[in-house]
Amino acid sequence: DAGITQSPRHKVTETGTPVTLRCHQTENHRYMYWYRQDPGHGLRLIHYSYGVKDTDKGEVSDGYSVSRSKTEDFLLTLESATSSQTSVYFCAISESWKAFFGQGTRLTVV
Amino acid sequence: DQQVKQNSPSLSVQEGRISILNCDYTNSMFDYFLWYKKYPAEGPTFLISISSIKDKNEDGRFTVFLNKSAKHLSLHIVPSQPGDSAVYFCAASGTGNQFYFGTGTSLTVIP
């Protein structure tokens, strides 16, 4: 168990509202990631971080922003949620060449 | 363009038989290849991996084969058990701690 906690686990929000998902790790890993999982698309990288205040975009970053003010916390923000952002979101950390995932957050935008 | 591909969305196998899940990749610079297993409503969990300098890695009922010339890897599960029913993701990692995932194969093991 890599000590990754995602919150909330489930959320329903309205179109146009801001949403923040939190990922917390207890292992002090440098690299953290946000993925989304959608049918037919697998796991797609949204943003990742390689240290406090060091972040970069992934392949599906439009409409998302991230922040990492502490090693243990990586926040994903949807500034104005859209229905296309309905998905399951996974946070991950990497330890050497392996990635470990949190339990996921199911987000529904109505 | 997707760098890791799993062309079979689903696979059904009888209990006790072999399950073979396939994965193709395009980038010859990947250092490691990994397989993850995912149950519904849970996060993916690491299953087995192989370094790019090897062609086989075995862990119990799970064996991963790597064919670098064909840019192809496969996961063999022998014997398959009903508890193996899950979605399996192939992944590759390279420089910069980047991970690239396939679209997944849903395995059903029929009792």
Side-chain angles (χ1 to χ4, degrees):
Chain A
D1 186 358
I4 305 169
T5 305
Q6 291 185 231
S7 59
R9 293 293 313 279
H10 302 270
K11 186 168 182 69
V12 179
T13 192
E14 293 187 348
T15 299
T17 60
V19 177
T20 295
L21 308 183
R22 180 178 182 245
C23 178
H24 178 80
Q25 60 145 331
T26 59
E27 305 293 325
N28 207 36
H29 290 290
R30 180 182 170 199
Y31 283 85
M32 297 184 76
Y33 311 80
W34 278 107
Y35 288 88
R36 60 178 288 175
Q37 184 200 1
D38 303 288
H41 293 279
L43 293 159
R44 292 183 292 174
L45 181 65
I46 304 171
H47 282 277
Y48 68 100
S49 169
Y50 45 96
V52 173
K53 293 190 168 65
D54 291 323
T55 65
D56 207 347
K57 296 178 180 180
E59 61 178 310
V60 290
S61 59
D62 287 349
Y64 302 94
S65 63
V66 289
S67 66
R68 192 165 178 204
S69 58
K70 298 185 290 185
T71 299
E72 58 265 35
D73 290 324
F74 192 31
L75 305 181
L76 176 71
T77 297
L78 292 67
E79 302 290 348
S80 177
T82 67
S83 58
S84 65
Q85 294 175 312
T86 291
S87 187
V88 181
Y89 292 84
F90 290 101
C91 175
I93 59 95
S94 77
E95 177 182 293
S96 184
W97 41 265
K98 281 192 285 189
F100 296 93
F101 288 84
Q103 293 284 73
T105 296
R106 180 172 292 277
L107 177 68
T108 303
V109 183
V110 298
Chain B
D1 194 24
Q2 198 143 16
Q3 298 195 50
V4 177
K5 297 180 182 179
Q6 294 176 258
N7 293 316
S8 298
S10 62
L11 174 68
S12 290
V13 172
Q14 288 288 122
E15 180 179 2
R17 305 294 290 269
I18 184 171
S19 295
I20 300 176
L21 293 87
N22 294 301
C23 178
D24 297 296
Y25 62 95
T26 58
N27 188 342
S28 58
M29 300 302 291
F30 288 135
D31 296 318
Y32 284 91
F33 300 91
L34 309 93
W35 285 94
Y36 286 82
K37 179 178 181 179
K38 186 185 179 304
Y39 291 120
E42 295 184 10
T45 55
F46 171 76
L47 184 60
I48 190 170
S49 64
I50 187 167
S51 164
S52 61
I53 62 173
K54 300 195 172 182
D55 53 22
K56 178 182 175 181
N57 187 29
E58 190 172 354
D59 184 1
R61 295 185 297 114
F62 303 91
T63 303
V64 57
F65 295 92
L66 176 62
N67 183 334
K68 286 187 288 293
S69 61
K71 294 191 175 68
H72 177 84
L73 66 154
S74 60
L75 174 68
H76 293 212
I77 306 173
V78 183
S80 300
Q81 300 174 352
D84 296 329
S85 297
V87 176
Y88 290 78
F89 289 101
C90 170
S93 68
T95 56
N97 281 64
Q98 293 293 304
F99 296 87
Y100 301 87
F101 287 85
T103 51
T105 297
S106 178
L107 173 65
T108 301
V109 180
I110 304 164

